[in-house]
Amino acid sequence: MTTATSALLESMLVTSNRLIRIAAQATGSTTPSAVWRTLGILSTDGALRVGDLAKASRVSQPTMTKLQQNLVEEGLARRIGDDSDSRVSLIEITAAGQRGLEEWRHELTAALGPLFSDLTAEETRTLERAVAIVQARTKTISSTSTNGRKVA
Amino acid sequence: MTTATSALLESMLVTSNRLIRIAAQATGSTTPSAVWRTLGILSTDGALRVGDLAKASRVSQPTMTKLQQNLVEEGLARRIGDDSDSRVSLIEITAAGQRGLEEWRHELTAALGPLFSDLTAEETRTLERAVAIVQARTKTISSTSTNGRKVA
DNA sequence: AAAGCTATATTGCTTAGCTATCTATATCGG
DNA sequence: CCGATATAGATAGCTAAGCAATATAGCTTT
């Protein structure tokens, strides 16, 4: 590993940190951001069991259990039993969750947008590719899919 | 703001989040990461007053007060009085702080390096430019520089 | 049907940050 | 020169986001 790569990694972390903090503050949102991240996954991937959701979000299972409880409490997600294994619950986004997610995306865009409104097409491409590069290297495999359902 | 930019912002946040979490776990480091971020600033910018350090690091002043106390306790930084204003203390990195910072950078590289060891030169450039783009948009201006000193 | 495995839940801790507020010191207007 | 106001930093107390260790409930296998 070159010193350059090393420095790059460090600046990526520092910059990531700032971005997150700015976003957190800018969207005066009371609901925690982990909620939206999780809803985003549910919205894209459909119903998932707690364990798989944890893997997809790259957090520990206990963290996801907690998160998912919050989601259900606030009506943003719903639990569905799994006929083939009653230890399991699939988590599914609700209509309210979808709406909330979209609202949050708007807020986020409104908050961070101004900082990035002057991006050239070329800069946008660069950022998109950078995200893809990092994503590829932080991906998780996961999936233990099941299908049986029953409302719990 | 286009929908594409909006989606980009969101994926940047999610990806940033993952990167940070992976890094935090990978370096089994007991000392909190905010410490190293702050030391990095001190190392680059020299002695700063608490308020300016907070701005440079984009955290609130109380957060920096706390952080700086930890640094001093652990001997990684030292406080220096300011002759021209006795409410002020300048914070300066110590030799031990420098050493610690360098060690941490090694750990970090060792931890995250494997994930990024296969970067092509072109990908490296892309990441570097992406970081620069984001940095430029999250920069703080700050500075209320002073010079009077006396060891406190 | 006992033994062990697996999915989720619970507990209790840590880090990292925030706002609101307090104290001490500067500074400025009369 | 003194009182009022402003500023720098410190303190208190809260929330979010995460973790590891462990408990429990339900499957599976011999």
Side-chain angles (χ1 to χ4, degrees), chain A residues 10-128:
Chain A
E10 192 187 347
S11 57
M12 277 169 61
L13 284 182
V14 171
T15 304
S16 293
N17 227 301
R18 288 195 178 184
L19 197 59
I20 287 174
R21 217 125 26 67
I22 290 171
Q25 277 190 265
T27 73
S29 170
T30 34
T31 31
S33 68
V35 159
W36 307 118
R37 177 162 37 87
T38 306
L39 281 182
I41 293 169
L42 287 178
S43 175
T44 304
D45 296 354
L48 289 176
R49 38 169 79 190
V50 170
D52 288 346
L53 195 46
K55 276 179 214 148
S57 188
R58 263 193 170 280
V59 298
S60 66
Q61 171 263 308
T63 297
M64 188 48 72
T65 290
K66 191 78 175 299
L67 220 56
Q68 157 263 313
Q69 286 170 347
N70 296 349
L71 288 177
V72 171
E73 262 171 37
E74 293 170 44
L76 303 172
R78 130 183 75 240
R79 300 176 53 115
I80 297 173
D82 182 329
D83 288 337
S84 67
D85 186 339
S86 59
R87 293 167 304 178
V88 169
S89 292
L90 298 171
I91 316 300
E92 189 177 56
I93 192 168
T94 62
Q98 271 297 347
R99 271 198 309 281
L101 181 58
E102 272 148 38
E103 263 170 47
W104 176 78
R105 282 174 168 159
H106 279 119
E107 265 178 47
L108 181 68
T109 302
L112 245 52
L115 292 177
F116 291 89
S117 58
D118 62 336
L119 285 179
T120 65
E122 205 264 328
E123 286 171 330
T124 302
R125 265 199 309 283
T126 300
L127 289 179
E128 280 166 351

Side-chain angles (χ1 to χ4, degrees), chain B residues 22-43:
Chain B
I22 291 171
Q25 278 189 263
T27 73
S29 171
T30 35
T31 31
S33 69
V35 159
W36 306 118
R37 178 161 37 87
T38 306
L39 281 182
I41 293 169
L42 287 178
S43 175

